[in-house]
C-alpha cells in the first residue's frame, strides 16, 4: 500500500491527514481484509487527493468496489459544506446519474424459459444498445427541455410511466433545481434522440432469476415483491447518455478557469472544481441536475419498452405478468442532503461516484411503502456472476452519508480484458452457463467478461458485514442485452 492505513474496526480503515500535504480530513476505506490487500495504488492516491479539496467535511470515503477513476476513485463518496465547499464533476462522473432500475414480475423460471430467445430478440429491437444509437422517442428542443426539468414526471404525463413507477424511484425521478439554460446546444443535440437507449460500456438489460437459496432475508424480500421460488426480475443499468457526458465536458472547461479565479489548487487536474455557492458551481449543479433527470427518464422509457416486449411475446397483460418497478437509484450524482457531522446537523453537497444511496429505515426520502424497512439498494455485478438486492441501514446514515457500493469493481482495463478473451468465445461460454446474450458489439462484450471484475459475493459480504447495507437476495442472470 502506498500510504499507511490504520484499522478502525473490522471492515473500516483510515488514512491520517498527516500522510499527504494538504489533506483536510482523514480518508476512510470500507473493505474486507482480502479486498483491501488487492486495492490498486490509484485508489489510495485518489481518495487522499479528494481529502484535500476545500470545504470537505467528515471523511473522504471509498467503498469495497473501489478502483481507479477520473479524479475520484470509483466507489468514492465525499460531502462538502454548502457555504464553504466545492462541487467537482470528477466526483460525479461523465455518465451523470448512471444508475439501476429493478423490475419484478410474477413469472417463474419455468414459465419464461421456452420463450426466452424470442423475448431477448424483441427486447434487443425495442431497447437500442451500442455507441451513439438513437431511441424511438423523437423530441424537439422544447419537449426535451421538459424532460430535463421534469424527468419521470414527463414520462408519466406522456404515457411512458404509471403511478407506481413514480413512487418507486429515488426522489420520484425528478430532482429540483434543474435549469435547461445551463445545458449547451451540443448537449441538447446529443441527448434528445437517445431516450430509451442503453448505450455501450458496461450498460445492460438483464433478465435474472432469484433462486430460493439466494434469498437472505425473506421478510424484506417479500416487502420488495419477491414472494415465490425462482421468481424472474429484470435489471437495467444505464444513465444520461450523450447529454450527461456533454454537460460534464462543458462545465469542466469552465471550472479550469474558475479555479484560477477563486485561487483553488488541487493535486490532480481531474479534480477541477468550483465553490458550490459560486455562479460557476451553481451553473454546473443546475446543468448536472438536468442530465440526472434525463437519465431517470431514459430508464423509464426502457421500462416502457420492456413492458411492450413481455406482453407481446408472452401474450399476457402487464397485470398478469406483474411488471412493477421495485426501485430505481442513481450511483453517479451530487445531491444536497443533511447529516449529523461532528455532533451537529449540517446541510452538505454529497458526491457519489460509483456509489449508491442506501438510506435506512424512517428516512423521509424513502418511499412510503418501504420507509419502515429502508431503501432498496441495487448492486450490479458482472454479466456472468449476477447482481444483488440489498436494503439501506441506519449505520450508513451515521457513517457513509447514507451510501454503499454500486457494483463489483473492475480489476483490469477494458483493453486488457479484450486481449484475454474473444467476444464469440464468451457468447459460447455464457450459453454453457445458462446465460443467453444479445450484444451490440463482440469487442464490447469481451470488455465486460466476468473475470475483469472483483467477485460480487466478496464485495457484497464486505458491506453486509460492515453494516452499511444488508443482503436481501442475489439475482442470477439467464438473459443479457449488452450495450
Amino acid at each position: 500500500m502506498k500510504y499507511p492505513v490504520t484499522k478502525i474496526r473490522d471492515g473500516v480503515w483510515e488514512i491520517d491527514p498527516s500522510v499527504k500535504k494538504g489533506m483536510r480530513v482523514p480518508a476512510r476505506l470500507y473493505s474486507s481484509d482480502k479486498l483491501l490487500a488487492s486495492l490498486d495504488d490509484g485508489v489510495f492516491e485518489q481518495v487522499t487527493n479528494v481529502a484535500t479539496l476545500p470545504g470537505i467535511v467528515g471523511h473522504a470515503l471509498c467503498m469495497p468496489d473501489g478502483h481507479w477513476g477520473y479524479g475520484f476513485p470509483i466507489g468514492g463518496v465525499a460531502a462538502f459544506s454548502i457555504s464553504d465547499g466545492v462541487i467537482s464533476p470528477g466526483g460525479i462522473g461523465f455518465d451523470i446519474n448512471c444508475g439501476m432500475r429493478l423490475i419484478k414480475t410474477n413469472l417463474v423460471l419455468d414459465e419464461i424459459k421456452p420463450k426466452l430467445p424470442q423475448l431477448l430478440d424483441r427486447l434487443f429491437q425495442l431497447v437500442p444498445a451500442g455507441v451513439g444509437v438513437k431511441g424511438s422517442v423523437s423530441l424537439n428542443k422544447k419537449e426535451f427541455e421538459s424532460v430535463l426539468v421534469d424527468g419521470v414526471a414527463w414520462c408519466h404525463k406522456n404515457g411512458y410511466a404509471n403511478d407506481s413507477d413514480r413512487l418507486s424511484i429515488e426522489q420520484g425521478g425528478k430532482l429540483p433545481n434543474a435549469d435547461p439554460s445551463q445545458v449547451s446546444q451540443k448537449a441538447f443535440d446529443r441527448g434528445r434522440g437517445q431516450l430509451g437507449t442503453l448505450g455501450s460500456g458496461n450498460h445492460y438489460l438483464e433478465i435474472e432469476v432469484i433462486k430460493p437459496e439466494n434469498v437472505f432475508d425473506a421478510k424484506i424480500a417479500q416487502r420488495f415483491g419477491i414472494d415465490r421460488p425462482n421468481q424472474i426480475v429484470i435489471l437495467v443499468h444505464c444513465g444520461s447518455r450523450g447529454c450527461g457526458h456533454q454537460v460534464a465536458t462543458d462545465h469542466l472547461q469552465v471550472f479550469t478557469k474558475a479555479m484560477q479565479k477563486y485561487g483553488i489548487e488541487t493535486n490532480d487536474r481531474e479534480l477541477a472544481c468550483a465553490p458550490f455557492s459560486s455562479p460557476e458551481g451553481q451553473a454546473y449543479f443546475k446543468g448536472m441536475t438536468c442530465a440526472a433527470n434525463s437519465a431517470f427518464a431514459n430508464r423509464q422509457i426502457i421500462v416502457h419498452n420492456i413492458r411492450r416486449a413481455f406482453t407481446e411475446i408472452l401474450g399476457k397483460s402487464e397485470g398478469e405478468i406483474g411488471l412493477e418497478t421495485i426501485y430505481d437509484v442513481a450511483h453517479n450524482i451530487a445531491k444536497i442532503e443533511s447529516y449529523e457531522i461532528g455532533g451537529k446537523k449540517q446541510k452538505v453537497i454529497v458526491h457519489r461516484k460509483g456509489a449508491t444511496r442506501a438510506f435506512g429505515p424512517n428516512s423521509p426520502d424513502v418511499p412510503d411503502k418501504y420507509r419502515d424497512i429502508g431503501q432498496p439498494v441495487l448492486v450490479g455485478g458482472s454479466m456472468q456472476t449476477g447482481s444483488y438486492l440489498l436494503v439501506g441501514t441506519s449505520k450508513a446514515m451515521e457513517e457513509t452519508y447514507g451510501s454503499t457500493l454500486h457494483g463489483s469493481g473492475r480489476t483490469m482495463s477494458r483493453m486488457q480484458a479484450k486481449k484475454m478473451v474473444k467476444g464469440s468465445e464468451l457468447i459460447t461460454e455464457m450459453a454453457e452457463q445458462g446465460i443467453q446474450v444479445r450484444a451490440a458489439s463482440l469487442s464490447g462484450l469481451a470488455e465486460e467478461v466476468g473475470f475483469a471484475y472483483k467477485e460480487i459475493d466478496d464485495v457484497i459480504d464486505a458491506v453486509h458485514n460492515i453494516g452499511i447495507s444488508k443482503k436481501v437476495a442475489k439475482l442470477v442472470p439467464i438473459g443479457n442485452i449488452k450495450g
Side-chain angles (χ1 to χ4, degrees):
M1 293 173 203
K2 191 165 183 177
Y3 298 104
V5 296
T6 302
K7 192 168 189 173
I8 302 298
R9 60 181 171 84
D10 281 350
V12 186
W13 285 264
E14 190 164 291
I15 302 174
D16 191 83
S18 63
V19 306
K20 179 181 275 191
K21 185 181 178 184
M23 279 179 71
R24 299 167 193 261
V25 297
R28 278 196 174 176
L29 301 156
Y30 286 78
S31 192
S32 63
D33 291 0
K34 175 184 174 184
L35 290 168
L36 187 77
S38 67
L39 272 184
D40 59 87
D41 282 346
V43 170
F44 296 93
E45 193 67 55
Q46 291 191 315
V47 73
T48 50
N49 284 342
V50 172
T52 70
L53 290 175
I56 188 168
V57 297
H59 304 83
L61 308 176
C62 187
M63 300 294 122
D65 54 337
H67 59 101
W68 180 271
Y70 181 93
F72 275 49
I74 309 296
V77 179
F80 298 87
S81 163
I82 293 292
S83 55
D84 305 324
V86 296
I87 185 169
S88 173
I92 296 160
F94 282 84
D95 191 359
I96 294 166
N97 190 4
C98 186
M100 313 289 299
R101 171 82 68 107
L102 182 63
I103 305 126
K104 82 164 192 71
T105 76
N106 292 335
L107 304 168
V108 297
L109 183 60
D110 286 345
E111 291 176 276
I112 204 170
K113 256 185 175 177
K115 293 195 173 180
L116 187 59
Q118 300 98 302
L119 191 53
L120 289 171
D121 287 341
R122 187 62 177 139
L123 285 167
F124 198 51
Q125 290 172 343
L126 291 174
V127 184
V131 178
V133 293
K134 300 290 183 184
S136 56
V137 179
S138 179
L139 303 180
N140 60 35
K141 184 175 179 181
K142 190 174 179 182
E143 290 167 330
F144 192 54
E145 275 187 4
S146 297
V147 173
L148 299 179
V149 172
D150 291 332
V152 171
W154 180 91
C155 298
H156 186 259
K157 185 179 176 183
N158 289 275
Y160 296 102
N162 58 39
D163 291 339
S164 177
D165 289 326
R166 291 177 66 189
L167 297 173
S168 306
I169 299 173
E170 179 176 355
Q171 219 155 329
K174 177 184 177 179
L175 304 185
N177 304 306
D179 180 356
S181 71
Q182 303 304 332
V183 176
S184 69
Q185 184 62 48
K186 193 171 181 181
F188 264 92
D189 292 341
R190 289 185 66 182
R192 66 191 174 95
Q194 292 187 325
L195 289 173
T197 62
L198 278 178
S200 57
N202 62 348
H203 296 152
Y204 58 78
L205 185 166
E206 238 170 33
I207 298 175
E208 304 182 294
V209 60
I210 301 179
K211 298 177 180 176
E213 63 268 29
N214 288 334
V215 176
F216 307 102
D217 189 323
K219 283 186 178 177
I220 291 183
Q222 191 159 28
R223 291 288 302 278
F224 293 159
I226 308 303
D227 57 5
R228 61 202 71 193
N230 297 316
Q231 191 164 347
I232 297 295
V233 296
I234 306 142
L235 190 64
V236 176
H237 176 218
C238 63
S240 52
R241 307 281 286 108
C243 175
H245 195 281
Q246 193 62 46
V247 166
T249 301
D250 292 339
H251 287 269
L252 267 170
Q253 292 172 357
V254 174
F255 276 23
T256 302
K257 292 179 182 174
M259 287 175 65
Q260 295 174 0
K261 177 179 170 184
Y262 295 109
I264 299 172
E265 293 182 3
T266 64
N267 291 347
D268 180 354
R269 65 178 182 82
E270 294 181 354
L271 287 175
C273 56
F276 179 67
S277 58
S278 70
E280 294 87 349
Q282 284 296 295
Y284 169 64
F285 181 59
K286 292 171 182 176
M288 185 274 299
T289 303
C290 286
N293 285 337
S294 79
F296 282 130
N298 184 33
R299 292 196 285 275
Q300 182 60 51
I301 291 171
I302 288 174
V303 169
H304 173 78
N305 285 321
I306 288 171
R307 288 177 168 137
R308 281 181 62 189
F310 270 72
T311 52
E312 284 176 22
I313 299 301
L314 298 176
K316 295 181 177 180
S317 70
E318 261 185 55
E320 288 173 310
I321 299 171
L323 286 158
E324 293 178 15
T325 296
I326 294 178
Y327 203 59
D328 183 307
V329 66
H331 52 227
N332 277 4
I333 204 161
K335 296 175 74 177
I336 298 173
E337 296 168 356
S338 294
Y339 295 93
E340 188 168 308
I341 302 166
K344 63 178 182 180
K345 199 85 168 177
Q346 190 173 345
K347 192 176 280 189
V348 289
I349 178 76
V350 177
H351 292 57
R352 295 190 182 94
K353 163 77 168 292
T356 304
R357 202 184 78 164
F359 282 5
N362 304 317
S363 168
D365 290 323
V366 174
D368 288 348
K369 60 183 176 180
Y370 303 137
R371 190 161 299 163
D372 61 319
I373 53 174
Q375 173 205 307
V377 174
L378 316 176
V379 181
S382 82
M383 60 189 179
Q384 289 184 277
T385 53
S387 303
Y388 271 84
L389 172 61
L390 313 179
V391 68
T393 65
S394 299
K395 186 173 281 295
M397 306 303 285
E398 295 163 6
E399 291 197 18
T400 58
Y401 307 112
S403 308
T404 189
L405 81 174
H406 87 304
S408 310
R410 291 195 77 94
T411 58
M412 66 177 67
S413 70
R414 291 188 163 89
M415 187 62 73
Q416 192 178 353
K418 281 194 290 190
K419 287 179 180 174
M420 296 177 71
V421 68
K422 290 181 179 178
S424 55
E425 296 169 349
L426 189 53
I427 286 179
T428 303
E429 182 182 319
M430 290 176 71
E432 289 170 355
Q433 293 173 333
I435 309 167
Q436 298 186 37
V437 185
R438 304 291 183 273
S441 151
L442 286 178
S443 64
L445 183 72
E447 291 174 354
E448 299 303 315
V449 64
F451 61 66
Y453 287 85
K454 299 175 187 178
E455 287 293 335
I456 184 75
D457 296 342
D458 288 346
V459 293
I460 295 293
D461 283 345
V463 294
H464 178 86
N465 293 335
I466 296 164
I468 55 174
S469 44
K470 289 290 181 182
K471 291 195 288 189
V472 177
K474 182 177 181 179
L475 291 50
V476 176
I478 58 169
N480 183 296
I481 307 292
K482 173 70 189 67

